Amino acid sequence: MFEIYPLHVATLKQVDKSVLTSLKDAGEKIDLNCIAWVIRSHKAVYVVDPGPGHDVMRAKNIHHREMSIEGCTDLLRGLKNLGIMPSDVNAIIDTHLHWDHCIANDSLPGIPVIVQHREYEYAKAPLRRDDILYESSLSYSPVNIFQSRMRFVEGDCRLEDGLELIFTPGHTPGHQSIKVRTQQKEYLIAGDQFDLYENYECCHPVGLYVNLFDWYQSYEKVKRMNVEVLPSHDPLLMSRKFY
């Protein structure tokens, strides 16, 4: 059985909520948590979506986002607080390759990065709107920096007993979520398939998607699972220290 620990690694300040709730809530500003997830059993450790790193000027100059790390937990410090050394981490799992989820892969050098092959292919040459999200035109884009460490999967994939990758395209062509069995129940670390709880509870799409048809199909796929959904950016996630 696994345990799941959320680490609040950064905050994106005053984001227009319509970015998270398509065609809804325009003008309402909210702060978003960037959360790195630590999945641990007695024999394995995985880190999901290490986050955007600490470079607040990168966030401002490239992505025009005000990012704060004040009051947040450094990924390595968070692992240390859990008694985990970087060498204990079996793999990083990226739900997708947008900058705010994967830049901090470099906090764990040499650790394999598990990603959907379809996501990697899209990240190399995305639609023009998405270029900045992947930083694909930059020489130091995630897809270039981490390519040699990537371990590709195709679709749904069982990593080990109690831990599965679930293919959930829509937000991006190769988005994946992670189903985790704990002692109490099964959870789905949903990545940006659901930014907020209300995306799932109200069946309302996220604001950024590549294929809306895929998003709804992925929603129905998740709905059929007997899981508790953990969205990617909802501040309510930090009401618990572990799941």
Side-chain angles (χ1 to χ4, degrees):
M1 299 295 180
F2 289 91
E3 297 174 327
I4 305 170
Y5 296 87
L7 302 178
H8 180 192
V9 293
T11 304
L12 300 178
K13 306 289 288 185
Q14 294 296 285
V15 176
D16 196 287
K17 193 181 175 188
S18 62
V19 174
L20 312 172
T21 53
S22 180
L23 302 178
K24 182 173 172 285
D25 306 312
E28 180 180 347
K29 306 295 184 181
I30 60 174
D31 292 346
L32 303 182
N33 288 1
C34 295
I35 295 175
W37 298 93
V38 180
I39 304 172
R40 179 174 70 178
S41 71
H42 69 281
K43 63 177 182 178
V45 176
Y46 298 87
V47 175
V48 177
D49 287 356
H54 300 149
D55 190 345
V56 296
M57 295 308 296
R58 179 181 188 151
K60 181 177 181 179
N61 293 335
I62 298 176
H63 300 283
H64 309 291
R65 293 291 184 198
E66 180 185 353
M67 186 176 82
S68 172
I69 57 173
E70 184 177 352
C72 298
T73 301
D74 173 79
L75 176 61
L76 295 182
R77 188 184 310 118
L79 290 173
K80 184 178 180 179
N81 291 342
L82 294 172
I84 298 170
M85 299 293 292
S87 58
D88 296 330
V89 178
N90 295 71
I92 295 167
I93 304 171
D94 285 338
T95 60
H96 60 300
L97 295 173
H98 284 178
W99 73 282
D100 57 319
H101 289 257
C102 71
I103 295 298
N105 287 356
D106 62 7
S107 297
L108 296 168
I111 302 298
V113 177
I114 300 173
V115 65
Q116 292 282 333
H117 189 258
R118 191 176 304 183
E119 181 70 3
Y120 164 75
E121 288 295 329
Y122 183 70
K124 289 191 297 183
L127 294 170
R128 185 175 299 179
R129 184 206 64 178
D130 294 341
D131 178 89
I132 193 65
L133 294 170
Y134 288 101
E135 300 186 355
S136 56
S137 62
L138 304 179
S139 61
Y140 52 86
S141 69
V143 74
N144 290 329
I145 294 173
F146 305 125
Q147 179 179 0
S148 63
R149 295 164 53 188
M150 289 180 178
R151 305 295 182 266
F152 298 119
V153 295
E154 298 276 3
D156 294 353
C157 177
R158 179 182 177 275
L159 293 182
E160 59 176 278
D161 186 36
L163 187 65
E164 298 178 53
L165 304 179
I166 307 298
F167 186 48
T168 50
H171 175 64
T172 69
H175 189 281
Q176 63 185 350
S177 303
I178 300 91
K179 187 167 73 168
V180 187
R181 186 190 311 145
T182 71
Q183 190 170 2
Q184 292 78 27
K185 62 177 70 174
E186 286 191 317
Y187 291 92
L188 190 77
I189 298 174
D192 280 0
Q193 167 67 16
F194 308 116
D195 290 321
L196 304 171
Y197 279 109
E198 70 178 86
N199 295 124
Y200 179 66
E201 293 168 355
C202 302
C203 187
H204 194 91
V206 294
L208 289 174
Y209 51 81
V210 170
N211 189 311
L212 189 56
F213 292 97
D214 283 350
W215 187 92
Y216 276 107
Q217 288 181 352
S218 294
Y219 172 87
E220 294 298 335
K221 182 177 183 178
V222 173
K223 196 72 174 176
R224 291 191 295 269
M225 298 178 182
N226 184 26
V227 294
E228 180 173 326
V229 167
L230 302 175
S232 60
H233 292 294
D234 202 311
L236 292 174
L237 291 162
M238 298 308 300
S239 63
R240 294 178 59 179
K241 293 184 178 180
F242 69 94
Y243 291 84

